[in-house]
Amino acid sequence: MRYLPLGSSGLLVSAVGLGCNNFGGRLDAQATRAVVDAALEVGVTLLDTADIYGGGAVPSAASGRP
């Protein structure tokens, strides 16, 4: 995986990100966990979350926390 600087923050993030808009809606918790685990395995560190995805459930679904 290639990593790039995130603006001037000093952080490096993966060049490929994971869009999380289906988490907490189309995908249940088990499917969400499988997708996130697979992304982490290949080095993805950039997860696109928003408080409107999945009715506000995405940040907790993507982290694996209730």
Side-chain angles (χ1 to χ4, degrees):
M1 180 65 63
R2 188 172 64 135
Y3 297 91
L4 303 168
L6 181 62
S8 59
S9 69
L11 299 173
L12 292 177
V13 296
S14 57
V16 175
L18 175 63
C20 300
N21 60 318
N22 288 316
F23 298 169
R26 292 184 183 145
L27 296 178
D28 64 15
Q30 184 177 358
T32 296
R33 169 62 69 177
V35 170
V36 171
D37 285 348
L40 293 173
E41 276 187 35
V42 297
V44 172
T45 60
L46 176 64
L47 288 94
D48 171 22
T49 64
D51 60 2
I52 62 168
Y53 293 166
V58 167
S60 62
S63 71
R65 297 184 186 122

